[in-house]
Amino acid sequence: MARWIWSRWTSLDFWVTFIGALALVAGAFWVASHFIAPAPPSRIVMTVGQEGGAYESLAKDMQTALAQNGIKLELRTTHGAQEDLRLLNDRHSGVTLAVVQGGVATDADGEDLMSLASLYREPVWVFYRQGLKVERLSALKGRSLSIGPKGSGVHALAAQLLAANGVDAHNTRLAEWPSEEAAQKLINKQLDAIMVVGAPESNLVGKLIRQPGVRLLDFAQAEAYSRQFPFLAHIVLPMGSFDLARNIPDHDVMLVAPTANLVVRDDIHPALIDLLMAVATDLTGDASMLHHEGEFPSPNGVDIPLSDDAARYMKNGPSFLHRYLPFWIAVWADRLVVLLIPLVAVLLPVMRLAPSVYAWRIKSRIYRWYGRLKQLEYELDLEGSQLDKAQAMSRLDDIERGVSHIRTPLAFSENLYNLRAHIELVRHRLSKMA
């Protein structure tokens, strides 16, 4: 028995069939592998704007959340939104994502970048010294006004809004102090007003709105701003939002607000988009002073075209695998699904056909001698055949010797013994010939 098993598994027919089937399956898997996206990187780089800013705080929360999913988020400080966009557009910088203030990006930025979502509203806050009559931005003409460092998002936005009101460096003393320094100068009465862009939860905004001697501009023309500048939304800061007991502010304040947008390079790994959207939803999905729960992340208010994958996520939620499996397990499972195609399309048919091919190879050697035996019988039956008994016996002996060298597995022995029986029948017939 052991000898038969060894002969079967070491037979040339078995190995030819096995290797042929294996080559077909391997070829199918090789083709399928070209359709599998590479695994996502375990490290990505994000710009966070100026050190200590609101975006850095959000980025650190993202860093913690991504680390729980095996992704290391490296944070890189910059001078502001303009540098963030420049680094994102430079494929050699290593930067993959950033939070960019609405209204800063240009049409050219949409060529290599895409937005994932708007994360929250960050209003334009104009604080001025109490005692000044400032009802509109145009009233700041001739005053001393800080609009943030050059290259920052607030500087770019302030330039647009002030220009629409006829305010510029020729008729107004414009300064470019960082927000914290500008706020202190305003408190010390060294500035008449400052412009700040940020979420109401920021420490700077909370400090200034409670500061005695400092007032917040009510944008009475907020609706007009939102129509002239599509990236701005007309919103209302409800009375008492900062302090219900002290009623701060003491009336509803109209504001204009761009959104903070999560922007990535368009060559980012698709699996990271689902993960970043899940993290953004966890961090920004709760209610705040300016929006209700579930309002963000949102596809609205982005300057750069929205990612199709991000739009699908906001509409349908995470994919089935990412909903129920940890990130890396879901990634590998998703990639393995592609490999199931050759498994179903090639491996199963090969497994069904391989035994038939193997059987054909074994039987073909027996059938070859059957053909020679049949030919001998045919010649014997021909009228006037010149084949004599000695010649026929010689040919029959050749056939028998050939058959004796055939090695077949036990399962095919019946075919071999039938051939030998038929050889004996022909021999018996020849022995009776005159």
Side-chain angles (χ1 to χ4, degrees):
M1 184 69 175
R3 183 178 179 183
W4 168 79
I5 294 174
W6 173 255
S7 65
R8 178 177 181 180
W9 284 89
T10 56
S11 69
L12 178 63
D13 296 288
F14 171 80
W15 287 111
V16 168
T17 306
F18 176 77
I19 293 174
L22 187 64
L24 282 174
V25 174
F29 275 94
W30 180 81
V31 172
S33 67
H34 286 70
F35 295 92
I36 300 176
S42 58
R43 170 190 166 275
I44 53 177
V45 180
M46 177 180 185
T47 60
V48 297
Q50 297 179 12
E51 186 175 0
Y55 294 163
E56 185 180 33
S57 176
L58 173 63
K60 287 181 177 178
D61 291 338
M62 294 180 66
Q63 187 180 48
T64 301
L66 290 173
Q68 295 172 357
N69 289 277
I71 301 294
K72 181 181 179 181
L73 180 64
E74 181 181 312
L75 306 183
R76 187 180 299 180
T77 58
T78 64
H79 292 96
Q82 298 291 345
E83 187 177 358
D84 293 338
L85 288 170
R86 181 182 62 78
L87 291 173
L88 273 175
N89 278 294
D90 181 2
R91 63 177 63 254
H92 302 295
S93 69
V95 174
T96 302
L97 70 156
V99 179
V100 179
Q101 176 189 302
V104 176
T106 63
D107 292 339
D109 293 318
E111 295 180 2
D112 297 319
L113 309 180
M114 56 186 181
S115 298
L116 296 189
S118 56
L119 303 179
Y120 54 85
R121 297 188 183 97
E122 41 182 9
V124 180
W125 309 89
V126 180
F127 292 101
Y128 61 92
R129 287 194 298 110
Q130 189 172 4
L132 299 179
K133 188 176 181 180
V134 181
E135 297 177 348
R136 298 189 302 273
L137 281 181
S138 56
L140 293 173
K141 184 183 294 185
R143 303 288 183 179
S144 58
L145 169 66
S146 178
I147 57 174
K150 192 172 184 179
S152 65
V154 60
H155 188 283
L157 180 57
Q160 295 181 68
L161 300 185
L162 292 174
N165 285 274
V167 179
D168 54 38
H170 298 291
N171 54 37
T172 303
R173 300 187 298 278
L174 299 180
E176 298 177 347
W177 296 103
S179 299
E180 293 288 347
E181 295 182 44
Q184 192 57 49
K185 290 181 179 294
L186 176 64
I187 293 171
N188 296 337
K189 300 182 179 181
Q190 296 174 292
L191 285 173
D192 293 324
I194 67 171
M195 294 183 71
V196 178
V197 174
E201 292 81 8
S202 71
N203 294 331
L204 180 62
V205 172
K207 172 185 176 181
L208 289 176
I209 204 165
R210 294 179 174 89
Q211 182 68 38
V214 174
R215 303 290 295 173
L216 173 63
L217 174 65
D218 188 338
F219 277 81
Q221 301 169 306
E223 187 61 28
Y225 279 105
S226 68
R227 297 187 183 187
Q228 185 169 344
F229 300 96
F231 57 87
L232 293 177
H234 172 195
I235 61 174
V236 176
L237 178 68
M239 178 174 60
S241 294
F242 283 87
D243 193 325
L244 288 170
R246 297 168 60 191
N247 197 30
I248 300 175
D250 57 8
H251 63 283
D252 288 350
V253 180
M254 288 188 288
L255 298 172
V256 293
T259 53
N261 302 324
L262 187 59
V263 179
V264 299
R265 285 194 53 81
D266 59 7
D267 55 5
I268 188 173
H269 195 286
L272 289 178
I273 294 179
D274 272 23
L275 180 58
L276 288 171
M277 290 302 301
V279 169
T281 301
D282 289 341
L283 295 179
T284 64
D286 295 336
S288 76
M289 291 186 195
L290 301 178
H291 65 261
H292 299 288
E293 183 177 358
E295 191 174 344
F296 289 95
S298 169
N300 302 318
V302 297
D303 298 329
I304 297 172
L306 193 68
S307 158
D308 292 337
D309 290 328
R312 173 196 52 75
Y313 185 98
M314 286 182 277
K315 182 179 180 181
N316 303 320
S319 65
F320 177 82
L321 293 176
H322 286 275
R323 184 179 287 116
Y324 297 107
L325 296 175
F327 173 71
W328 282 105
I329 295 178
V331 166
W332 285 106
D334 195 38
R335 300 176 75 211
L336 288 175
V337 166
V338 179
L339 293 180
L340 290 178
I341 297 174
L343 180 66
V344 175
V346 177
L347 182 58
L348 295 181
V350 166
M351 289 178 65
R352 294 182 63 183
L353 290 174
S356 299
V357 173
Y358 176 67
W360 173 82
R361 287 187 58 85
I362 297 296
K363 292 180 180 180
S364 65
R365 293 203 300 272
I366 298 174
Y367 294 155
R368 179 166 61 89
W369 293 107
Y370 255 121
R372 293 182 64 175
L373 182 63
K374 186 66 177 175
Q375 178 65 28
L376 178 59
E377 283 191 291
Y378 174 75
E379 292 180 20
L380 289 173
D381 291 336
L382 284 176
E383 292 186 10
S385 174
Q386 301 300 315
L387 186 66
D388 60 22
K389 181 178 178 179
Q391 290 176 327
M393 278 293 186
S394 177
R395 288 172 59 179
L396 189 62
D397 290 340
D398 289 342
I399 294 173
E400 189 170 26
R401 279 193 297 271
V403 171
S404 67
H405 288 91
I406 297 177
R407 296 290 181 265
T408 61
L410 185 60
F412 301 94
S413 296
E414 180 182 359
N415 302 86
L416 186 60
Y417 282 109
N418 285 337
L419 175 55
R420 287 177 173 176
H422 292 153
I423 292 172
E424 288 303 316
L425 286 175
V426 175
R427 188 182 296 280
H428 180 70
R429 177 183 174 185
L430 286 172
S431 66
K432 293 182 177 181
M433 289 179 62

